[in-house]
Amino acid sequence: MKKNLLPIIAAMLGMAAPASAQSYLMQIRQTDGTVTEIDADKVAKVTFAQKPYTAEAIPTGTDLATWYEENKTLFDTYDNVIIPLAADGEYTQSAVIEIPAGKKASIVGEADGVAKLTFTADAGFVVGNAFSISNVDIDATASTGVLISLSATPDEALKGATGQGEYYNIMGAISLDNVDVKGLKDRILYDGGVHYTVETLDIDGCNIQLDIPAENELGSKGYIDFYQSCIINNTIKNSTIYNVGEGYAKYFVQYVNGQRSTKFGYTNDYMTINNSTLYNLLDKSGQWGNYSGLGGQKSSVWEITDAIFVNCGSQVARRFMGGRQGGKMTFANNTYMNTYDGEAAFEEMPTEGEDGTVTDPSYDTSGTVIGTAPTFADAENGDFTLGADCEQYAKKTGDPRWLPATDAPTE
Protein backbone atom coordinates (compact mmCIF):
# COMPACT_ATOMS: atom_id res chain seq x y z
CA MET A 1 0.00 0.00 0.00
CA LYS A 2 2.79 2.42 0.83
CA LYS A 3 4.36 2.14 -2.59
CA ASN A 4 1.08 3.28 -4.20
CA LEU A 5 1.52 6.68 -2.54
CA LEU A 6 4.98 7.18 -3.98
CA PRO A 7 3.96 9.05 -7.16
CA ILE A 8 1.83 11.48 -5.14
CA ILE A 9 4.49 12.07 -2.52
CA ALA A 10 7.09 12.54 -5.21
CA ALA A 11 4.89 15.11 -6.95
CA MET A 12 4.39 17.01 -3.68
CA LEU A 13 8.12 17.13 -3.11
CA GLY A 14 8.87 18.15 -6.70
CA MET A 15 10.84 14.93 -7.33
CA ALA A 16 10.68 12.71 -10.36
CA ALA A 17 8.58 9.60 -9.69
CA PRO A 18 9.66 6.18 -10.94
CA ALA A 19 7.94 4.88 -14.04
CA SER A 20 4.56 3.31 -13.24
CA ALA A 21 1.73 1.92 -15.30
CA GLN A 22 -0.74 3.28 -12.79
CA SER A 23 -2.17 6.80 -12.56
CA TYR A 24 -3.31 8.49 -9.38
CA LEU A 25 -5.56 11.28 -8.19
CA MET A 26 -4.52 13.69 -5.48
CA GLN A 27 -7.40 14.41 -3.12
CA ILE A 28 -7.52 17.66 -1.16
CA ARG A 29 -10.09 17.45 1.63
CA GLN A 30 -11.02 20.78 3.23
CA THR A 31 -12.26 21.25 6.77
CA ASP A 32 -15.81 21.80 5.50
CA GLY A 33 -15.79 18.38 3.88
CA THR A 34 -15.24 19.63 0.33
CA VAL A 35 -13.00 17.34 -1.70
CA THR A 36 -11.02 18.48 -4.73
CA GLU A 37 -9.37 15.92 -6.98
CA ILE A 38 -6.30 16.66 -9.12
CA ASP A 39 -4.62 14.39 -11.63
CA ALA A 40 -1.36 13.60 -9.83
CA ASP A 41 0.42 12.98 -13.13
CA LYS A 42 0.03 16.68 -13.93
CA VAL A 43 1.39 17.92 -10.60
CA ALA A 44 5.00 19.06 -10.88
CA LYS A 45 5.38 20.55 -7.44
CA VAL A 46 3.29 21.45 -4.39
CA THR A 47 4.35 24.42 -2.29
CA PHE A 48 2.89 26.04 0.79
CA ALA A 49 2.96 29.79 1.35
CA GLN A 50 2.11 31.73 4.46
CA LYS A 51 -1.24 33.51 4.24
CA PRO A 52 -1.04 37.31 4.23
CA TYR A 53 -1.27 38.90 7.66
CA THR A 54 -3.49 41.96 7.94
CA ALA A 55 -2.19 44.57 10.35
CA GLU A 56 -4.54 46.62 12.46
CA ALA A 57 -6.12 49.49 10.55
CA ILE A 58 -3.93 52.59 10.73
CA PRO A 59 -5.74 55.58 12.23
CA THR A 60 -6.30 58.58 10.00
CA GLY A 61 -3.76 61.37 10.55
CA THR A 62 -0.83 58.95 10.96
CA ASP A 63 2.60 59.44 9.38
CA LEU A 64 3.12 56.12 7.59
CA ALA A 65 6.92 56.35 7.85
CA THR A 66 6.64 56.66 11.63
CA TRP A 67 4.08 53.86 11.81
CA TYR A 68 6.35 51.63 9.74
CA GLU A 69 9.39 52.19 11.94
CA GLU A 70 7.31 51.26 14.97
CA ASN A 71 5.77 48.18 13.35
CA LYS A 72 8.30 46.79 10.87
CA THR A 73 9.05 43.90 13.23
CA LEU A 74 5.84 42.41 11.80
CA PHE A 75 8.02 41.25 8.94
CA ASP A 76 10.16 39.25 11.39
CA THR A 77 7.12 37.00 11.85
CA TYR A 78 5.16 37.35 8.64
CA ASP A 79 6.28 37.01 5.02
CA ASN A 80 3.35 38.95 3.58
CA VAL A 81 1.74 41.91 5.35
CA ILE A 82 -1.34 43.88 4.36
CA ILE A 83 -1.24 47.48 5.62
CA PRO A 84 -4.82 48.81 5.70
CA LEU A 85 -5.74 52.49 5.45
CA ALA A 86 -9.11 53.80 6.60
CA ALA A 87 -11.80 54.74 4.11
CA ASP A 88 -11.39 58.45 3.31
CA GLY A 89 -8.48 58.54 5.77
CA GLU A 90 -5.79 61.19 5.43
CA TYR A 91 -2.15 60.23 5.93
CA THR A 92 1.33 61.67 5.51
CA GLN A 93 4.67 60.04 4.73
CA SER A 94 7.87 61.79 5.75
CA ALA A 95 10.46 59.29 4.49
CA VAL A 96 11.01 56.30 2.23
CA ILE A 97 9.49 53.05 3.49
CA GLU A 98 11.76 50.07 2.77
CA ILE A 99 10.09 46.68 3.02
CA PRO A 100 12.63 43.98 3.99
CA ALA A 101 14.02 42.24 0.90
CA GLY A 102 12.12 39.07 0.09
CA LYS A 103 9.03 40.11 2.05
CA LYS A 104 5.71 40.97 0.39
CA ALA A 105 3.47 43.90 1.28
CA SER A 106 0.25 45.59 0.22
CA ILE A 107 -0.97 49.07 1.10
CA VAL A 108 -4.73 48.93 0.81
CA GLY A 109 -7.29 51.68 1.14
CA GLU A 110 -10.74 50.44 2.09
CA ALA A 111 -13.18 50.15 -0.78
CA ASP A 112 -15.70 52.46 0.90
CA GLY A 113 -13.56 55.53 0.33
CA VAL A 114 -10.16 56.32 -1.20
CA ALA A 115 -7.43 57.02 1.33
CA LYS A 116 -5.28 60.11 0.81
CA LEU A 117 -1.52 59.97 1.31
CA THR A 118 0.67 63.08 1.16
CA PHE A 119 4.45 62.85 0.89
CA THR A 120 5.86 65.63 3.11
CA ALA A 121 9.50 65.04 2.10
CA ASP A 122 11.42 62.76 -0.24
CA ALA A 123 9.38 59.58 0.07
CA GLY A 124 8.34 56.46 -1.78
CA PHE A 125 8.68 52.71 -1.39
CA VAL A 126 11.61 50.30 -1.69
CA VAL A 127 10.58 46.67 -2.12
CA GLY A 128 12.24 43.37 -2.91
CA ASN A 129 9.29 41.14 -3.69
CA ALA A 130 5.62 41.36 -4.68
CA PHE A 131 4.12 44.71 -3.69
CA SER A 132 0.86 46.54 -4.33
CA ILE A 133 -0.89 49.82 -3.64
CA SER A 134 -4.64 49.99 -4.13
CA ASN A 135 -7.40 52.54 -3.61
CA VAL A 136 -5.05 55.35 -2.54
CA ASP A 137 -4.51 58.92 -3.76
CA ILE A 138 -0.87 59.99 -3.45
CA ASP A 139 0.26 63.62 -3.48
CA ALA A 140 3.97 63.37 -4.31
CA THR A 141 4.49 67.10 -4.93
CA ALA A 142 6.94 67.55 -2.05
CA SER A 143 9.09 64.57 -3.05
CA THR A 144 11.85 64.29 -5.64
CA GLY A 145 12.11 60.51 -5.37
CA VAL A 146 11.01 57.42 -7.29
CA LEU A 147 7.57 56.09 -6.46
CA ILE A 148 8.60 52.42 -6.24
CA SER A 149 12.21 51.18 -6.29
CA LEU A 150 13.43 47.60 -6.06
CA SER A 151 15.87 46.81 -3.29
CA ALA A 152 19.57 47.31 -3.95
CA THR A 153 20.21 44.41 -1.51
CA PRO A 154 17.93 41.63 -2.79
CA ASP A 155 17.02 38.46 -0.95
CA GLU A 156 19.49 35.79 -2.10
CA ALA A 157 16.71 33.19 -1.88
CA LEU A 158 15.12 34.82 -4.94
CA LYS A 159 18.19 34.33 -7.12
CA GLY A 160 17.29 31.90 -9.89
CA ALA A 161 14.08 31.03 -8.06
CA THR A 162 12.31 30.06 -11.30
CA GLY A 163 14.91 27.37 -11.78
CA GLN A 164 16.53 29.11 -14.71
CA GLY A 165 18.85 32.08 -14.97
CA GLU A 166 20.81 34.04 -12.38
CA TYR A 167 18.52 37.03 -11.89
CA TYR A 168 16.50 37.71 -8.73
CA ASN A 169 13.00 36.45 -9.51
CA ILE A 170 9.98 38.26 -8.13
CA MET A 171 7.38 35.58 -8.80
CA GLY A 172 4.32 37.71 -8.30
CA ALA A 173 3.06 41.18 -9.12
CA ILE A 174 4.02 44.76 -8.49
CA SER A 175 0.75 46.55 -8.98
CA LEU A 176 -1.01 49.89 -8.77
CA ASP A 177 -4.79 49.55 -8.69
CA ASN A 178 -7.10 52.57 -8.52
CA VAL A 179 -4.21 54.83 -7.52
CA ASP A 180 -4.03 58.53 -8.32
CA VAL A 181 -0.58 60.14 -8.18
CA LYS A 182 0.02 63.88 -8.32
CA GLY A 183 3.29 65.72 -8.93
CA LEU A 184 5.69 62.76 -9.34
CA LYS A 185 9.11 64.18 -10.27
CA ASP A 186 10.96 60.94 -10.87
CA ARG A 187 10.31 57.44 -12.18
CA ILE A 188 7.24 55.32 -11.55
CA LEU A 189 9.30 52.15 -11.11
CA TYR A 190 13.08 51.61 -10.87
CA ASP A 191 14.96 48.32 -10.59
CA GLY A 192 17.55 49.67 -8.13
CA GLY A 193 20.40 48.85 -10.51
CA VAL A 194 20.07 45.12 -9.74
CA HIS A 195 19.29 42.20 -12.07
CA TYR A 196 15.64 41.38 -11.33
CA THR A 197 13.01 39.49 -13.29
CA VAL A 198 9.54 40.67 -12.27
CA GLU A 199 6.76 38.33 -13.26
CA THR A 200 4.03 40.99 -13.51
CA LEU A 201 3.68 44.75 -13.50
CA ASP A 202 0.03 45.77 -13.49
CA ILE A 203 -1.17 49.39 -13.65
CA ASP A 204 -4.97 49.38 -13.65
CA GLY A 205 -7.47 52.20 -13.16
CA CYS A 206 -4.76 54.74 -12.30
CA ASN A 207 -4.30 58.44 -12.98
CA ILE A 208 -0.60 59.30 -12.74
CA GLN A 209 0.59 62.89 -13.11
CA LEU A 210 4.31 63.29 -13.67
CA ASP A 211 5.94 66.68 -13.17
CA ILE A 212 9.43 66.19 -14.61
CA PRO A 213 11.65 69.26 -14.05
CA ALA A 214 13.33 70.88 -17.04
CA GLU A 215 16.72 70.04 -15.52
CA ASN A 216 16.48 66.41 -14.52
CA GLU A 217 18.45 63.18 -14.47
CA LEU A 218 15.97 61.19 -16.54
CA GLY A 219 17.48 62.06 -19.91
CA SER A 220 18.70 58.51 -20.59
CA LYS A 221 16.22 56.67 -18.37
CA GLY A 222 12.68 55.36 -18.58
CA TYR A 223 9.63 56.09 -16.46
CA ILE A 224 9.60 52.33 -15.96
CA ASP A 225 13.36 52.06 -15.60
CA PHE A 226 14.49 48.43 -15.69
CA TYR A 227 17.88 49.10 -17.23
CA GLN A 228 19.33 46.07 -15.42
CA SER A 229 16.14 43.98 -15.34
CA CYS A 230 13.05 42.86 -17.22
CA ILE A 231 9.33 42.32 -16.71
CA ILE A 232 7.56 39.27 -18.09
CA ASN A 233 4.00 40.61 -18.16
CA ASN A 234 3.77 44.41 -18.39
CA THR A 235 0.20 45.71 -18.49
CA ILE A 236 -1.37 49.18 -18.44
CA LYS A 237 -5.15 49.39 -18.69
CA ASN A 238 -7.95 51.85 -17.96
CA SER A 239 -5.34 54.40 -16.94
CA THR A 240 -4.04 57.89 -17.67
CA ILE A 241 -0.35 58.76 -17.43
CA TYR A 242 0.73 62.29 -18.32
CA ASN A 243 3.47 64.84 -17.70
CA VAL A 244 2.97 68.50 -16.83
CA GLY A 245 6.68 69.30 -16.39
CA GLU A 246 9.13 70.71 -18.91
CA GLY A 247 11.50 67.74 -18.73
CA TYR A 248 11.21 64.20 -20.08
CA ALA A 249 12.67 60.75 -19.77
CA LYS A 250 14.27 59.17 -22.83
CA TYR A 251 11.97 56.13 -22.76
CA PHE A 252 8.67 55.14 -21.28
CA VAL A 253 9.82 51.53 -20.67
CA GLN A 254 13.42 50.31 -20.67
CA TYR A 255 14.71 46.76 -20.04
CA VAL A 256 18.20 45.30 -19.90
CA ASN A 257 19.53 44.48 -23.36
CA GLY A 258 19.05 40.96 -24.67
CA GLN A 259 16.94 39.45 -21.90
CA ARG A 260 13.50 37.90 -22.33
CA SER A 261 11.11 35.43 -20.72
CA THR A 262 12.51 32.24 -22.23
CA LYS A 263 15.83 32.81 -20.48
CA PHE A 264 14.10 32.63 -17.10
CA GLY A 265 11.80 29.64 -17.51
CA TYR A 266 8.79 31.47 -18.95
CA THR A 267 7.16 30.97 -22.33
CA ASN A 268 6.14 34.48 -23.42
CA ASP A 269 6.78 38.17 -22.86
CA TYR A 270 3.65 40.31 -22.74
CA MET A 271 3.47 44.04 -23.44
CA THR A 272 -0.11 45.30 -23.17
CA ILE A 273 -1.84 48.69 -23.21
CA ASN A 274 -5.65 48.78 -23.20
CA ASN A 275 -8.08 51.71 -22.95
CA SER A 276 -5.52 54.21 -21.73
CA THR A 277 -4.63 57.87 -22.32
CA LEU A 278 -0.91 58.72 -22.54
CA TYR A 279 0.00 62.40 -22.86
CA ASN A 280 3.18 64.51 -23.12
CA LEU A 281 5.48 61.78 -21.82
CA LEU A 282 8.29 62.03 -24.41
CA ASP A 283 9.66 64.65 -26.74
CA LYS A 284 10.08 63.90 -30.45
CA SER A 285 13.45 62.23 -29.88
CA GLY A 286 12.05 59.98 -27.18
CA GLN A 287 11.28 56.30 -27.69
CA TRP A 288 8.35 54.46 -26.15
CA GLY A 289 10.25 51.22 -25.59
CA ASN A 290 13.87 50.11 -25.38
CA TYR A 291 14.20 46.33 -24.97
CA SER A 292 16.31 44.65 -27.61
CA GLY A 293 15.64 41.16 -26.28
CA LEU A 294 11.93 41.31 -27.17
CA GLY A 295 11.94 42.77 -30.67
CA GLY A 296 11.20 40.26 -33.44
CA GLN A 297 10.88 37.30 -31.05
CA LYS A 298 8.20 34.63 -31.49
CA SER A 299 7.78 34.63 -27.71
CA SER A 300 6.71 38.29 -27.65
CA VAL A 301 3.01 39.11 -27.39
CA TRP A 302 2.19 42.73 -28.29
CA GLU A 303 -1.17 44.37 -27.73
CA ILE A 304 -2.37 47.97 -27.93
CA THR A 305 -6.11 48.53 -28.13
CA ASP A 306 -8.25 51.65 -27.74
CA ALA A 307 -5.29 53.76 -26.61
CA ILE A 308 -4.54 57.44 -27.18
CA PHE A 309 -0.89 58.51 -27.50
CA VAL A 310 -0.26 62.24 -27.76
CA ASN A 311 3.24 63.74 -27.51
CA CYS A 312 4.77 60.35 -26.69
CA GLY A 313 7.66 60.32 -29.16
CA SER A 314 7.66 59.34 -32.81
CA GLN A 315 6.81 55.92 -34.24
CA VAL A 316 5.14 54.73 -31.05
CA ALA A 317 3.95 51.39 -32.45
CA ARG A 318 7.39 50.59 -33.85
CA ARG A 319 9.17 51.44 -30.60
CA PHE A 320 6.51 49.59 -28.61
CA MET A 321 7.44 46.44 -30.54
CA GLY A 322 11.14 46.86 -29.92
CA GLY A 323 11.81 48.13 -33.44
CA ARG A 324 11.01 44.84 -35.20
CA GLN A 325 7.88 43.00 -36.19
CA GLY A 326 7.48 39.50 -34.83
CA GLY A 327 5.47 37.51 -32.33
CA LYS A 328 1.75 37.89 -31.81
CA MET A 329 0.40 41.37 -32.57
CA THR A 330 -2.99 42.83 -31.66
CA PHE A 331 -3.77 46.46 -32.48
CA ALA A 332 -7.15 48.19 -32.63
CA ASN A 333 -8.52 51.75 -32.59
CA ASN A 334 -5.35 53.55 -31.52
CA THR A 335 -4.37 57.20 -31.91
CA TYR A 336 -0.68 58.12 -32.43
CA MET A 337 -0.15 61.85 -32.43
CA ASN A 338 3.14 63.70 -32.04
CA THR A 339 1.99 67.22 -31.22
CA TYR A 340 -1.16 68.65 -29.75
CA ASP A 341 -1.80 72.36 -30.05
CA GLY A 342 -5.45 72.44 -31.01
CA GLU A 343 -4.91 71.06 -34.49
CA ALA A 344 -4.03 67.60 -35.73
CA ALA A 345 -0.32 67.15 -36.41
CA PHE A 346 0.98 63.65 -36.96
CA GLU A 347 4.60 62.57 -37.36
CA GLU A 348 3.43 59.98 -39.85
CA MET A 349 -0.07 60.74 -41.04
CA PRO A 350 -2.13 57.58 -41.40
CA THR A 351 -3.03 57.04 -45.02
CA GLU A 352 -6.16 55.67 -46.62
CA GLY A 353 -5.73 52.56 -48.74
CA GLU A 354 -7.71 51.53 -51.82
CA ASP A 355 -10.08 49.49 -49.69
CA GLY A 356 -10.87 52.47 -47.48
CA THR A 357 -8.93 51.23 -44.45
CA VAL A 358 -6.54 53.46 -42.54
CA THR A 359 -3.02 52.21 -41.93
CA ASP A 360 -0.17 53.60 -39.87
CA PRO A 361 3.35 53.30 -41.32
CA SER A 362 4.73 52.68 -37.84
CA TYR A 363 3.91 48.98 -37.55
CA ASP A 364 0.22 49.23 -36.60
CA THR A 365 -1.21 47.75 -39.79
CA SER A 366 -4.58 46.86 -38.28
CA GLY A 367 -6.47 49.24 -40.54
CA THR A 368 -8.14 50.75 -37.47
CA VAL A 369 -5.77 53.64 -36.65
CA ILE A 370 -7.67 56.82 -35.79
CA GLY A 371 -6.14 59.53 -37.95
CA THR A 372 -7.98 62.52 -36.48
CA ALA A 373 -7.12 64.49 -33.37
CA PRO A 374 -8.90 63.92 -30.05
CA THR A 375 -10.55 66.91 -28.42
CA PHE A 376 -9.62 67.10 -24.75
CA ALA A 377 -11.42 69.39 -22.32
CA ASP A 378 -8.23 70.78 -20.74
CA ALA A 379 -5.20 68.57 -21.36
CA GLU A 380 -2.70 71.02 -19.88
CA ASN A 381 -4.47 70.73 -16.53
CA GLY A 382 -5.06 67.01 -16.65
CA ASP A 383 -8.66 66.95 -17.86
CA PHE A 384 -8.79 64.56 -20.79
CA THR A 385 -12.56 64.42 -21.06
CA LEU A 386 -13.27 63.73 -24.72
CA GLY A 387 -15.45 66.03 -26.75
CA ALA A 388 -18.48 64.34 -28.26
CA ASP A 389 -17.40 65.51 -31.73
CA CYS A 390 -14.20 63.46 -31.97
CA GLU A 391 -13.70 59.96 -33.30
CA GLN A 392 -12.06 58.80 -30.09
CA TYR A 393 -15.29 59.60 -28.25
CA ALA A 394 -17.39 57.76 -30.81
CA LYS A 395 -15.20 54.66 -30.55
CA LYS A 396 -14.85 54.90 -26.75
CA THR A 397 -11.07 54.89 -26.74
CA GLY A 398 -8.66 56.08 -24.09
CA ASP A 399 -9.10 55.87 -20.33
CA PRO A 400 -12.81 55.23 -19.60
CA ARG A 401 -12.78 57.86 -16.82
CA TRP A 402 -12.83 60.53 -19.54
CA LEU A 403 -16.11 59.28 -20.99
CA PRO A 404 -19.53 59.81 -19.40
CA ALA A 405 -20.47 56.80 -17.29
CA THR A 406 -23.19 55.83 -19.75
CA ASP A 407 -20.66 55.82 -22.61
CA ALA A 408 -17.73 54.09 -20.92
CA PRO A 409 -16.93 50.64 -22.31
CA THR A 410 -17.89 47.68 -20.16
CA GLU A 411 -15.71 44.66 -19.57
Side-chain angles (χ1 to χ4, degrees), residues 7-89:
I8 300 176
I9 294 171
M12 293 181 69
L13 296 177
M15 302 187 303
S20 172
Q22 304 225 1
S23 295
Y24 297 87
L25 290 175
M26 178 184 293
Q27 289 189 343
I28 302 173
R29 188 179 300 275
Q30 300 184 52
T31 55
D32 63 359
T34 303
V35 177
T36 301
E37 292 187 342
I38 300 172
D39 185 344
D41 293 339
K42 297 181 179 180
V43 177
K45 186 176 182 180
V46 176
T47 59
F48 293 86
Q50 190 184 81
K51 292 174 63 176
Y53 171 79
T54 302
E56 292 186 10
I58 303 176
T60 185
T62 299
D63 181 330
L64 288 192
T66 300
W67 177 92
Y68 179 74
E69 287 301 313
E70 295 172 349
N71 291 273
K72 63 183 179 182
T73 53
L74 285 171
F75 290 97
D76 294 341
T77 303
Y78 303 105
D79 296 331
N80 190 345
V81 177
I82 297 172
I83 302 171
L85 306 183
D88 299 316

Side-chain angles (χ1 to χ4, degrees), residues 44-344:
K45 186 176 182 180
V46 176
T47 59
F48 293 86
Q50 190 184 81
K51 292 174 63 176
Y53 171 79
T54 302
E56 292 186 10
I58 303 176
T60 185
T62 299
D63 181 330
L64 288 192
T66 300
W67 177 92
Y68 179 74
E69 287 301 313
E70 295 172 349
N71 291 273
K72 63 183 179 182
T73 53
L74 285 171
F75 290 97
D76 294 341
T77 303
Y78 303 105
D79 296 331
N80 190 345
V81 177
I82 297 172
I83 302 171
L85 306 183
D88 299 316
E90 297 187 3
Y91 301 88
T92 57
Q93 186 174 325
S94 58
V96 172
I97 290 175
E98 183 165 357
I99 305 299
K103 302 292 185 174
K104 302 175 182 179
S106 302
I107 298 175
V108 181
E110 292 185 13
D112 293 340
V114 175
K116 295 176 175 57
L117 174 60
T118 300
F119 292 167
T120 56
D122 285 346
F125 304 93
V126 174
V127 303
N129 208 330
F131 176 74
S132 66
I133 305 174
S134 58
N135 214 35
V136 179
D137 286 355
I138 300 174
D139 186 341
T141 306
S143 175
T144 61
V146 178
L147 183 61
I148 301 172
S149 295
L150 299 189
S151 175
T153 55
D155 180 3
E156 290 300 317
L158 298 180
K159 193 170 187 177
T162 60
Q164 190 170 333
E166 292 295 317
Y167 280 31
Y168 295 93
N169 301 132
I170 294 180
M171 298 166 68
I174 294 176
S175 66
L176 298 173
D177 184 7
N178 192 30
V179 174
D180 277 20
V181 180
K182 176 183 178 182
L184 184 63
K185 295 177 177 60
D186 206 318
R187 290 151 288 184
I188 299 169
L189 180 63
Y190 170 49
D191 67 10
V194 176
H195 289 312
Y196 282 95
T197 299
V198 175
E199 198 166 72
T200 300
L201 171 64
D202 190 21
I203 298 176
D204 186 4
C206 296
N207 187 17
I208 300 175
Q209 181 202 69
L210 294 150
D211 187 4
I212 306 302
E215 295 182 4
N216 68 85
E217 298 180 355
L218 300 187
S220 61
K221 299 180 174 69
Y223 296 113
I224 298 173
D225 184 9
F226 265 43
Y227 181 71
Q228 296 293 335
S229 307
C230 62
I231 300 167
I232 305 302
N233 186 344
N234 191 335
T235 299
I236 300 171
K237 57 186 176 182
N238 303 322
S239 295
T240 299
I241 305 176
Y242 66 106
N243 174 34
V244 297
E246 296 181 1
Y248 301 94
K250 175 67 174 179
Y251 311 102
F252 183 79
V253 185
Q254 181 172 215
Y255 294 172
V256 65
N257 288 332
Q259 299 295 2
R260 55 182 172 272
S261 61
T262 54
K263 296 185 178 183
F264 302 102
Y266 296 94
T267 303
N268 296 104
D269 296 277
Y270 297 89
M271 195 71 70
T272 306
I273 301 176
N274 304 131
N275 288 99
S276 293
T277 300
L278 300 312
Y279 180 84
N280 198 37
L281 295 172
L282 304 168
D283 64 17
K284 289 185 179 181
S285 65
Q287 300 175 18
W288 186 264
N290 181 24
Y291 24 69
S292 63
L294 275 60
Q297 298 297 320
K298 293 181 179 179
S299 57
S300 297
V301 181
W302 314 101
E303 180 177 323
I304 309 178
T305 60
D306 303 302
I308 300 173
F309 297 88
V310 174
N311 298 358
C312 289
S314 61
Q315 299 183 318
V316 170
R318 174 173 174 258
R319 297 299 184 183
F320 176 82
M321 296 180 65
R324 291 180 289 168
Q325 290 182 322
K328 183 179 179 180
M329 301 172 288
T330 303
F331 295 92
N333 301 324
N334 300 312
T335 301
Y336 310 102
M337 187 174 174
N338 234 6
T339 60
Y340 184 86
D341 57 5
E343 295 184 6

Side-chain angles (χ1 to χ4, degrees), residues 378-391:
D378 189 0
E380 296 303 314
N381 291 298
D383 184 352
F384 299 96
T385 301
L386 290 170
D389 59 340
C390 69
E391 193 173 355

